[in-house]
Amino acid sequence: MTVKIFDRPDVQEFLKVVSGLDKADGNPRMKEIIHRLMSDLFKAIDDLNITPDEYWTGVAWLNDLGAAGQAGLISPGLGLDHFIDERLDAIDAAMGIDNPTPRTIEGPLYVAGAPESTGFARLDDGSDTDGQTLIMHGVVHDADKKPMPGAKVEVWHCDTRGFYSHFDPTGKQAPFNMRRTIIADENGRYKFQSILPSGYGVPPGSPTEHLLSALGRHGQRPAHIHFFISAPGHRKLTTQINIEGDPLINDDFAYATRDGLVPRVVERNDEESIHANNLNGPFAEIEFDIFLTSLVDGVDNQVNEKRKREAA
Ligand code: MBD
Ligand code: FE
């Protein structure tokens, strides 16, 4: 039996009551958003004939998702993080702002407070011996495309098992392993030594994986390195690079891959390069310059602090 009750006046009135629109107290913006979201949900239940069994399965899944702390994990998996980036890009385009270094999603695994150094840092503690040594470097540029000394480069990535420090289910990694803050030197240069990370996969058996499986999808990401880059007078840039050659570069469950964010990985095995980097064997080198954009009317019109607070 198919029924439609959404358009009934008493149901429309009920949605207003549920959203507090008949009350003076509360937050008007919250009321507006909840009224719209609840209306869309009621309508979906009506249109798709969502059964009580299906509905309560969804409620149980939300409880599991929250208990596992995975709201921030299914969010990129369902494309919301990327959609928000596309909106920021469209807002920039409408204002005539070009982003020479594209933004892409932050993801849920940043941790504030990583050790800080100037010019250079080693990110890994040497305990992940399966990883190929990586040297990555570049110049941070200001909105006039001039080198930007003092710019802050926050970088984080996972190990060869796909685990991030602070979120390592084996508990094996030291705090802030593969997480550093590098202040660009007097020439605007940043440089770090680490290992090439592996890809990431959502936790097996998790609520996030359950939903993705039901959609016929996987929960894997290509190998990547995350960045926040900030400097006075400029908007904070949130981005990532992918490790060239990873077979999942165009099959990322989090949809973070973008043109301009897959720099060349150059294999170095000549003595001169090895010596110049104080290494004792071959390594992979990535050069990646970064271009920041100006504040808009003196403010960063695209920064979000909430997610950072959540993760810290
Ligand atoms: C990650 O490492 C990540 O970057 C994202 C977006 C989601 C899950 C894990
Ligand atoms: Fe990541």
Side-chain angles (χ1 to χ4, degrees), residues 2 25 28-29 38 46 57 63 91 103 108 117 132 135 142 145 166 179 183 195 228 237 255 257 263 276 285 311:
T2 297
D25 286 347
R29 176 64 172 164
M38 292 314 300
D46 231 21
T57 298
N63 271 333
I91 290 166
R103 62 168 59 84
S117 56
Q132 187 186 358
I135 297 287
D142 67 14
K145 298 192 161 63
H166 302 262
R179 301 175 183 275
I183 306 299
I195 56 163
F228 286 149
L237 174 63
Y255 308 103
T257 303
E285 180 176 359

Side-chain angles (χ1 to χ4, degrees), residues 155-215:
V155 51
W156 69 104
H157 67 76
C158 64
D159 67 10
T160 61
R161 302 166 305 160
F163 297 150
Y164 284 80
S165 62
H166 302 262
F167 301 93
D168 184 337
T170 69
K172 266 192 184 145
Q173 289 183 71
F176 296 111
N177 190 34
M178 303 180 194
R179 301 175 183 275
R180 287 295 183 276
T181 296
I182 304 165
I183 306 299
D185 72 11
E186 66 277 10
N187 299 311
R189 299 196 150 274
Y190 75 93
K191 182 176 184 178
F192 62 84
Q193 176 184 334
S194 195
I195 56 163
L196 280 174
S198 297
Y200 166 93
V202 302
S206 66
T208 296
E209 189 186 59
H210 283 149
L211 178 56
L212 294 172
S213 300
L215 302 178

Side-chain angles (χ1 to χ4, degrees), residues 28-91:
R29 176 64 172 164
M30 185 67 87
K31 294 181 189 202
E32 178 183 34
I33 293 171
I34 292 296
H35 180 257
R36 173 57 185 271
L37 292 179
M38 292 314 300
S39 297
D40 287 354
L41 182 55
F42 277 28
K43 191 161 172 33
I45 291 171
D46 231 21
D47 288 349
L48 304 178
N49 219 352
I50 292 176
T51 65
D53 221 39
E54 289 171 330
Y55 176 73
W56 291 110
T57 298
V59 170
W61 178 82
L62 280 174
N63 271 333
D64 292 347
L65 186 78
Q70 292 184 353
L73 187 58
I74 198 62
S75 173
L78 290 177
L80 286 155
D81 301 32
H82 181 64
F83 179 67
I84 288 168
D85 278 346
E86 291 283 353
R87 281 183 45 80
L88 294 178
D89 287 354
I91 290 166

